[in-house]
Amino acid sequence: AGAGRLPEAVAAWDAAERLSPEDPEPPEQRGRARLQAGEARLAVADLQRALELKPQNPALKELLHAVSPERERFERPYLYDAAALARALDPARTRGEDAVVLGELTVTRVYPSGLSSTYHQLIVKVLTRRGVEAFRRQSIGYEPDRQEVKVDRVRVVKPDGAPVETWQESERSASEPWYRLYYDTRVRTLTFPALEPGDLLELGYRLDDVAGENLLSDYFGDLVYLRDGFPKARLDYVLITPSSRSIHLNDPGLPGLARAERSLPGGLSELRFTARDLPRIEPEPEMPGPSEAAPFLHVSTYASWEEVGRFYWGLVRDQLRPTEEVRATARRIEAEVKRRRRARGLPEAGDERAVIEAVHDFVVTSTRYVGLEFGIHGFKPYRVGQVLSRRFGDCKDKASLTHALLESLGIDSRLVLLRMNRLGHVPAAPASLSVFNHAISYVPRYDLWLDGTASWSGSRELPAEDRGADVLVVNPDGPSRFGRIPEARPEENRTVLSLEADLRPDGGAVLAGDATVGGGRAPEYRRAYGAEGDRKASFEQAWSRTFPGLAVRQVSLSDLSRLDEDVAMRFAIEVPHLARAEGDGLSFRPFGEPSPYTETYAALSSRQYPLVLGEPFENVFHYRYRLPPGWSAGVLPPPSRLETPFGSLEVSWRSEAGALRVDGRVVFRATRVAPSEYPAFREFTAAVDRVLSRRVRVGPAATAQVTR
């Protein structure tokens, strides 16, 4: 080409391209040579092809932009006219709002490698001081080694039409050291000091993948929420992909959402979604996660969960291979289990479940939770030998170490990708890596789910964030399985409280009790009472509402390091004003001052979204109050029994020789309540509150009465 023999050079480059069609060098060299020869149209096509193969080439990007600026600005045909949107705004839509999003545009250009470039445009009319504070700062997350950010436009337009194009930029790490999570992601924050109520804000920026390769093979996935806390007059999502790539997506279930597809020049396809007049989301306490509270668009290049599982297993397989140190550690864990069995007079072998418990205990207590989410290690665990030797890791590191230890002992387990409950459920299609944010382990033989990051949880105590969560069980030798972890049963989260009280004539009392806490609530007790020196203060704080003014005499607990045993607690307290004087007797609530179930679970009069209750549970009470000599209880309430689809209640009162005995049982079976069922659920909680808050009168035998 340098000697003026361009046709021969083009033929050589064509041959090279046929031999290595994924190599960007032949089309780039051919394009540069054609550009020098004045063949601009052919040169632009070659350079564009090279850039698609290697979008991380900034010099080539600048060259292409110089010779064909309209071609590189893929977002240009879709950009909003901010002034036109402002003129079209219906003033009625602004009534009572802090801000209105006039336009929200996302245009993503996906390359054959799965890398992408995305342009975001946001146009907002801010109406109140709260609206200003909500939009004064906008943050952009990116990975400096793999992405570049270019702020294209920032403009504040005053009510008189005067534009202000000044802003401030700052940057920080996205790491969360308080959670012991460290990322190579940075957050660039744009601040608009001139923004005031009544202004129009326009922001446009572009985020380009510039890495040398796609860390996730050629995968592309995206999940975009279509509604949030502000009304939107218009929203557009545009996806431009090679026509050869299949894109799989969900049905957002949003009425009025328009979808359009068309072919573009250069072998590209356009998929466009447009929505108008989207109302804001009204938040409610204990509502489902965003993927259930808001419509969303989920796109992926994966056709099935089998593909996702096959890729992920290929990514992590070598990381899970046990080293000799891992095998030796597994043998030591097994030997300790056998030693404990011998000490109890049991055969050494035969308790595989105890070995699994011991492995889980080791991973939870002997490896700290620290996440180094750098590069591919945001998805790929470190090698299990490295995790073991340095004694720390994140969720996927701990799940991998659990898997390797169990494998070393001949116990089959699986790695599991999980979407925490706080994010909400997603439908089974499309298949994607974008939906998951956690990893745990699964032992098929015992249908046992193990979360190595749950620092205070035993093998039977899966955290509430995991129960009922969407998961992908990664099977190495067969199709991976997408589904949900089963919810717990109420009896698995059982608390039993027994209380013996000596009631004094002045209304004070000394109470001695013991409690057994199992299941999902046991980790809370281990965490709260882990520091022995703080136990009295922790107990006083936890029980001060039930027994106001209490003074803790003694609190003792079982060995909290035994994660697979229920927590047992014994305590003694003094309550100066348990009962109040009524005539020549006393009245009091046997269950103490209640923590109302309605206040806790059903504070709203009605709901728009389902109520997420969390794990089901069972609380059992056995209270015995010894009365002053010569005293007795008055007429007692009849036994109460209530059975509903949400749960049940049983309470009985009876007099014993010189004492009052109260027994109760409260069961919550439901994990969530639909809005249509909420009134009935609220009546259930109110009925429980009414029964548990009843007062009983005691006094000298001749004068005792019942007080409701």
Side-chain angles (χ1 to χ4, degrees), residues 580-628:
R580 71 187 184 196
E582 281 194 5
D584 58 353
L586 300 169
S587 76
F588 70 102
R589 292 187 173 99
F591 291 102
E593 297 300 320
S595 299
Y597 284 86
T598 302
E599 177 186 315
T600 303
Y601 296 105
L604 301 182
S605 59
S606 62
R607 292 188 67 93
Q608 178 183 356
Y609 296 100
L611 168 65
V612 178
L613 293 172
E615 292 196 276
F617 62 86
E618 177 181 2
N619 291 343
V620 180
F621 313 95
H622 302 295
Y623 292 173
R624 186 173 184 270
Y625 289 90
R626 288 187 288 269
L627 306 179

Side-chain angles (χ1 to χ4, degrees), residues 195-508:
L195 191 64
E196 296 290 340
D199 290 351
L200 186 73
L201 170 67
E202 180 180 3
L203 169 65
Y205 67 90
R206 177 165 166 165
L207 183 64
D208 290 301
D209 288 336
V210 294
E213 62 178 345
N214 187 341
L215 296 177
L216 302 177
S217 186
D218 61 350
Y219 161 74
F220 172 81
D222 196 13
L223 194 154
V224 178
Y225 294 103
L226 305 179
R227 289 177 58 198
D228 55 29
F230 293 93
K232 298 179 181 179
R234 179 169 179 175
L235 178 144
D236 287 87
Y237 180 87
V238 182
L239 193 65
I240 302 171
T241 62
S243 300
S244 58
R245 296 300 305 268
S246 296
I247 297 294
H248 309 274
L249 64 157
N250 67 322
D251 177 5
L254 181 64
L257 180 67
R259 171 177 172 172
E261 297 183 59
R262 63 171 179 155
S263 297
L264 299 178
L268 300 176
S269 296
E270 174 196 282
L271 178 62
R272 182 172 185 169
F273 291 87
T274 300
R276 298 178 185 273
D277 299 327
L278 299 176
R280 60 185 165 95
I281 292 177
E282 297 284 355
E284 293 178 346
E286 309 306 325
M287 65 190 291
S291 60
E292 294 180 77
F296 64 92
L297 186 63
H298 182 196
V299 299
S300 173
T301 53
Y302 281 123
S304 68
W305 291 111
E306 182 178 359
E307 285 185 20
V308 177
R310 188 164 59 246
F311 165 76
Y312 195 74
W313 179 250
L315 181 70
V316 305
R317 178 177 51 210
D318 290 341
Q319 312 300 101
L320 306 183
R321 191 164 292 131
T323 62
E324 184 51 43
E325 183 186 5
V326 170
R327 295 190 186 94
T329 301
R331 290 192 294 268
R332 284 197 299 271
I333 294 172
E334 184 180 44
E336 177 60 21
V337 172
K338 292 179 178 179
R339 186 194 65 76
R340 290 200 298 265
R341 288 179 62 82
R342 283 198 308 271
R344 297 198 303 267
L346 300 173
E348 288 189 7
D351 196 350
E352 188 174 77
R353 185 68 171 76
V355 173
I356 297 171
E357 291 174 4
V359 166
H360 173 72
D361 184 280
F362 174 83
V363 172
V364 166
T365 60
S366 298
T367 57
R368 292 179 298 121
Y369 180 78
V370 178
L372 303 180
E373 313 287 322
F374 302 143
I376 189 60
H377 290 291
F379 298 89
K380 182 179 182 177
Y382 290 89
R383 292 185 181 273
V384 291
Q386 190 176 9
V387 177
L388 179 62
S389 64
R390 66 189 186 184
R391 287 295 199 271
F392 69 80
D394 65 1
C395 59
K396 56 190 176 294
D397 296 323
K398 286 182 168 238
S400 299
L401 181 57
T402 299
H403 174 88
L405 290 168
L406 293 176
E407 179 185 315
S408 299
L409 298 173
I411 300 173
D412 181 39
S413 69
R414 300 284 187 273
L415 220 58
V416 178
L417 299 178
L418 182 145
R419 179 179 177 84
M420 285 183 167
N421 280 323
R422 72 170 75 108
L423 299 180
H425 294 300
V426 293
S432 167
L433 283 169
S434 302
V435 299
F436 302 113
N437 70 327
H438 192 36
I440 63 172
S441 306
Y442 176 61
V443 184
R445 180 173 180 179
Y446 299 97
D447 194 26
L448 184 63
W449 308 85
L450 304 173
D451 189 335
T453 68
S455 302
W456 301 95
S457 298
S459 63
R460 296 176 291 113
E461 300 163 352
L462 199 62
E465 280 281 24
D466 298 350
R467 280 289 183 188
D470 295 334
V471 293
L472 179 68
V473 180
V474 180
N475 291 317
D477 302 320
S480 295
R481 176 170 59 89
F482 180 81
R484 289 184 185 173
I485 296 178
E487 297 283 4
R489 301 185 303 275
E491 58 270 23
E492 293 179 281
N493 299 315
R494 193 168 192 254
T495 299
V496 180
L497 175 61
S498 298
L499 195 67
E500 292 281 340
D502 289 310
L503 184 63
R504 298 193 302 261
D506 65 359

Side-chain angles (χ1 to χ4, degrees), residues 20-36:
S20 184
E22 301 303 317
D23 185 354
E25 188 174 351
E28 180 181 353
Q29 291 185 0
R30 186 174 57 213
R32 288 179 181 276
R34 281 174 163 166
L35 191 60
Q36 288 182 346

